[in-house]
Amino acid sequence: RSENRITALNRVLDRVAKGDLSARYVSRTDPGDDIGRVAAAINRMLDQLSLTMDSLRHVSNDVAHDLRTPLTRLKTRIEPLLSRSDLPPDAAQDLELAEAEIDAIVSTFNAVLRIAQIEGGNDQVALAPVDLSQLCSTIHEMLSPVAEEMGHALTAACPNTPITVDGDREMLAQAIVNLVENAMRHCPAPAQIAMSVTGDSGIATIKICDTGPGIPEAERDKVLRRFYRLEESRNTEGSGLGLSLTAAIIRRHGGTMTLGDNAPGLCVTITLPTA
Ligand SMILES: Nc1ncnc2c1ncn2[C@@H]1O[C@H](COP(=O)(O)OP(=O)(O)OP(=O)(O)O)[C@@H](O)[C@H]1O
Ligand SMILES: [Mg+2]
């Protein structure tokens, strides 16, 4: 019996280790012995940890929210200066750089808030039938010229028949675009980037695979965290929010996203329940 309880406790700790802070040890008939006391202490610790994580997340969301307004004000002050013709050339250049920096910070804050909104589940997800086959073709049309310009080849296997899921078209498009953009940005040219959509027994599968350097297995959980980027990406543009946003969108749609090895390269697989 105590063996069963230890197994159950272990399962809780495993879930916590995988990032699920809502896991708790529950037993209706737990005797108040040592194991029971340890289990209760672990539950209390997890309650505390969840609270701390929640407030941390709130702080960063509040910071993002509160700094957006003064930054927007700063931008509206710089803008009229930029159109003046009596500026020394170096001042004009500095002002343009400053404006670009402001835009970058504001879009980072927007992404942080967007993730929080989706994860908190308090946004309006407009659930409507979305045809993934068609979305696949649209995204391919939109991004293949960009890929080509960067020296990559973007191919897409989009079925001729509709594969429909219930969701928010814009969000799902954003999720797929983020992944294709990652492949274009994080793979040295020339890379093969392959996008595909398939549907089978109630499950739609979207794959985005590339022939770049991939993500080492030990890093695959971490890149899903906000702001986490691999060491080798420090010099590329970006803030490390794309994958967390994508993961939040897919979770919100009741789907899964896994990062795998394309040997060589990265293969991201998304599954979604079909409508
Ligand atoms: N296709 C890929 N191949 C190799 N590494 C990748 C790939 N996609 C993502 N990564 C790694 O994962 C990190 C996190 O990706 P993520 O999309 O979250 O952020 P980002 O692309 O750096 O910035 P952004 O916020 O603009 O998306 C990247 O910085 C990169 O190190
Ligand atoms: Mg990205």
Side-chain angles (χ1 to χ4, degrees):
R1 281 217 39 214
S2 60
E3 220 168 278
N4 285 346
R5 290 156 67 210
I6 288 175
T7 310
L9 202 50
N10 253 327
R11 261 201 298 272
V12 171
L13 293 176
D14 274 346
R15 277 175 58 196
V16 174
K18 292 205 176 83
D20 177 9
L21 281 182
S22 70
R24 295 291 181 276
Y25 176 81
V26 265
S27 163
R28 263 161 290 132
T29 55
D30 209 89
D33 60 358
D34 283 350
I35 298 177
R37 273 194 296 276
V38 169
I42 287 177
N43 281 348
R44 277 199 303 280
M45 181 194 75
L46 288 173
D47 287 343
Q48 192 55 48
L49 203 56
S50 302
L51 276 179
T52 311
M53 286 301 289
D54 278 350
S55 53
L56 261 180
R57 211 169 283 130
H58 269 129
V59 168
S60 60
N61 296 344
D62 289 351
V63 167
H65 190 262
D66 290 354
L67 290 185
R68 224 171 18 165
T69 319
L71 277 169
T72 314
R73 269 204 303 266
L74 189 58
K75 192 175 145 89
T76 37
R77 281 201 185 197
I78 288 181
E79 261 164 1
L81 286 178
L82 272 169
S83 55
R84 270 167 57 165
S85 51
D86 59 340
L87 283 179
D90 55 337
Q93 209 176 359
D94 281 349
L95 279 175
E96 256 164 50
L97 283 178
E99 197 193 23
E101 293 285 359
I102 294 172
D103 285 342
I105 301 171
V106 170
S107 66
T108 301
F109 286 168
N110 284 340
V112 169
L113 293 169
R114 191 88 189 92
I115 294 169
Q117 208 177 30
I118 296 171
E119 281 183 341
N122 46 16
D123 62 333
Q124 267 90 37
V125 183
L127 282 193
V130 180
D131 176 9
L132 293 179
S133 306
Q134 194 235 326
L135 191 60
C136 169
S137 307
T138 309
I139 292 176
H140 179 245
E141 253 166 59
M142 183 177 83
L143 291 181
S144 61
V146 187
E148 211 164 294
E149 205 165 293
M150 295 175 78
H152 301 308
L154 175 64
T155 61
C158 318
N160 293 320
T161 49
I163 294 177
T164 311
V165 299
D166 273 327
D168 181 312
R169 189 174 195 275
E170 219 143 278
M171 276 198 201
L172 291 172
Q174 169 93 71
I176 301 172
V177 167
N178 280 354
L179 296 174
V180 177
E181 277 186 342
N182 272 353
M184 299 195 294
R185 189 189 291 168
H186 301 295
C187 298
Q192 299 285 328
I193 306 166
M195 186 165 86
S196 70
V197 171
T198 49
D200 187 31
S201 47
I203 307 257
T205 305
I206 308 166
K207 274 183 189 279
I208 290 108
C209 302
D210 64 53
T211 53
I215 298 179
E217 196 166 356
E219 303 272 10
R220 286 183 203 150
D221 280 340
K222 295 186 200 152
V223 289
L224 299 180
R225 291 184 202 152
R226 301 187 304 172
F227 299 112
Y228 193 91
R229 313 184 74 207
L230 297 184
E231 203 51 54
E232 42 276 38
S233 310
R234 292 287 139 83
N235 296 319
T236 61
E237 216 182 297
S239 48
L241 290 169
L243 281 177
S244 1
L245 181 57
T246 304
I249 291 172
I250 299 306
R251 246 193 325 258
R252 194 67 210 282
H253 282 81
T256 65
M257 176 170 101
T258 45
L259 308 187
D261 203 337
N262 197 30
L266 183 72
C267 213
V268 183
T269 306
I270 290 172
T271 67
L272 291 163
T274 51

